[in-house]
Amino acid sequence: LPLTLTEEGKTSSLVSDWPASLLQETSQQNVTWHFHQQGVSIKDFNSRPALGKFWRVISTNVDLRGEEFVSFAEARDGAPIFASQFHPEKNLFEFEEGPLDGSNGVHSSAGVDMANRLAQHFVERARHFRAFDFLPKECWSATISAWTPTMRFPGLPAHMPVYFFPPYSNTSEVDAATVDAAATVLI
């Protein structure tokens, strides 16, 4: 889907250094790779004032039912917290969908440039944010790195790791509907 910036999103530091040509291309081409079936509609977001106090909506998109949803947000007040309904990393590293000739928007020069700029922004913001007082070991134990992924999940590409959290511990405990839902890809 295109990156449809909100008025507030157009002033975000995430896109402030993007050239006009990139802003135009990403607003017209399908440069974001959406793999999720549930999100926060603009209607729901606007009906919950607490969300607007914490989050700044950067972009929206329209789902298959025609409903507008939040596709990208950042925390207010400078905290390096971002929420993305799309996968900005996939433009650079995954090629199982579509042609590789640049006609697939996520792998176009604009799609790759967008992904690189977002990655650089995330890393730069993280470098300057040291508001938490924790040891690296404590940090890693609380991240997904503490869990062992399952590779070769039925219906998904072999390189895509899948993590099982309680109450599930392996693929045999997951029903067919869950496998089908996990294998559904929305672009």
Side-chain angles (χ1 to χ4, degrees), residues 82-121:
F82 305 93
S84 174
Q85 188 65 17
F86 61 92
H87 285 266
E89 79 286 357
K90 288 189 177 285
N91 297 39
L92 302 173
F93 301 108
E94 295 196 18
F95 295 89
E96 72 270 1
E97 295 291 328
L100 299 178
D101 62 3
S103 62
N104 183 343
V106 296
H107 299 306
S108 67
S109 60
V112 170
D113 190 11
M114 175 200 71
N116 273 321
R117 287 171 183 274
L118 291 175
Q120 290 170 354
H121 187 83

Side-chain angles (χ1 to χ4, degrees), residues 64-155:
L64 296 173
R65 298 177 312 251
E67 188 163 345
E68 187 179 24
F69 65 93
V70 175
S71 60
F72 203 20
E74 68 180 335
R76 294 186 183 276
D77 301 325
I81 302 171
F82 305 93
S84 174
Q85 188 65 17
F86 61 92
H87 285 266
E89 79 286 357
K90 288 189 177 285
N91 297 39
L92 302 173
F93 301 108
E94 295 196 18
F95 295 89
E96 72 270 1
E97 295 291 328
L100 299 178
D101 62 3
S103 62
N104 183 343
V106 296
H107 299 306
S108 67
S109 60
V112 170
D113 190 11
M114 175 200 71
N116 273 321
R117 287 171 183 274
L118 291 175
Q120 290 170 354
H121 187 83
F122 297 157
V123 170
E124 190 61 28
R125 291 284 300 277
R127 279 190 187 119
H128 295 291
F129 189 78
R130 299 288 184 242
F132 300 109
D133 186 22
F134 56 79
L135 298 172
K137 183 178 179 179
E138 293 171 327
C139 175
W140 286 110
S141 70
T143 68
I144 201 165
S145 300
W147 297 83
T148 303
T150 298
M151 302 306 279
R152 307 235 179 242
F153 189 74

Side-chain angles (χ1 to χ4, degrees), residues 35-53:
F35 284 88
H36 304 286
Q37 296 181 25
Q38 298 178 349
V40 177
S41 72
I42 286 296
K43 180 181 172 185
D44 286 344
F45 183 90
N46 290 334
S47 72
R48 300 166 195 248
L51 289 176
K53 286 181 183 175

Side-chain angles (χ1 to χ4, degrees), residues 96-97 152-158 160 162 171 178-185:
E96 72 270 1
E97 295 291 328
R152 307 235 179 242
F153 189 74
L156 293 177
M160 194 174 289
V162 176
T171 57
T178 303
V179 171
D180 287 343
T184 300
V185 175

